[in-house]
């Protein structure tokens, strides 16, 4: 017969978002709760819209919480209906001196995915010029080379 655990984790959890928000209301600094909640909603429960809502709610309390922004970008990259909108929301943060290179890289991906190759190239150029991480620098140079040759792979 069917295995009893076969559908484990497939629950709908209608209260999930409300509870995660409640945790943030009690302790806005509890970023792990927001990250865990958003990750679960987006990637386990396939509710990326609610995950984005939760992260935006967390950002009200902590507008420069890079981890929230990274997860928002990752959801945008993999799930968003409108990657261009996610890229636009991240764009102002790319100028911050402590902006993590991972967020820049995701932003470049999102721009490329939505066909904004000029913006992607500008971000890759910034990574190549400013990052101290060889992996990101080499990837940025490779992407710039492809973009300069007009290779529009997504």
């Amino acid at each position: 017969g069917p295995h009893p655990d076969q559908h484990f984790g497939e629950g709908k959890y209608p209260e999930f978002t409300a509870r995660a928000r409640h945790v943030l209301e009690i302790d806005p600094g509890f970023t792990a709760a927001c990250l865990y909640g958003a990750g679960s909603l987006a990637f386990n429960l396939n509710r990326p819209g609610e995950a984005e809502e939760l992260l935006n709610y967390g950002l009200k309390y902590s507008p420069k919480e890079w981890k929230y922004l990274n997860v928002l970008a990752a959801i945008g990259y993999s799930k968003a209906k409108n990657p261009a909108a996610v890229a636009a929301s991240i764009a102002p943060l790319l100028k911050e001196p402590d902006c993590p290179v991972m967020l820049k890289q995701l932003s470049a991906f999102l721009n490329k995915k939505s066909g904004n190759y000029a913006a992607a190239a500008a971000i890759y150029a910034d990574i190549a010029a400013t990052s101290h991480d060889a992996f990101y620098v080499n990837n940025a140079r490779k992407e710039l080379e492809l973009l300069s040759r007009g290779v529009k792979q997504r």
Side-chain angles (χ1 to χ4, degrees), residues 6-124:
Q6 191 179 342
H7 298 288
F8 181 78
E10 284 181 21
K12 298 286 177 271
Y13 307 107
E15 302 294 310
F16 194 98
T17 306
R19 286 188 185 157
R21 281 181 70 137
H22 185 61
V23 170
L24 277 177
E25 283 162 13
I26 295 167
D27 183 0
F30 190 12
T31 54
C34 186
L35 292 166
Y36 173 79
S40 298
L41 283 163
F43 302 108
N44 302 347
L45 301 174
N46 203 24
R47 285 151 63 183
E50 283 176 70
E52 288 180 50
E53 266 172 53
L54 183 61
L55 288 161
N56 284 321
Y57 187 73
L59 283 165
K60 278 210 284 254
Y61 293 112
S62 313
K64 278 191 60 177
E65 177 49 74
W66 296 121
K67 295 186 197 90
Y68 292 168
L69 296 162
N70 276 330
V71 174
L72 206 51
I75 293 168
Y77 183 54
S78 60
K79 305 265 187 187
K81 311 266 180 287
N82 186 353
V86 181
S89 71
I90 297 167
L93 303 154
L94 301 179
K95 306 274 178 279
E96 298 282 348
D98 56 342
C99 179
V101 67
M102 178 191 164
L103 187 60
K104 291 181 182 180
Q105 168 116 333
L106 279 163
S107 183
F109 276 146
L110 287 163
N111 278 294
K112 206 170 67 168
K113 192 174 179 177
S114 52
N116 192 346
Y117 300 109
I123 297 165
Y124 284 126

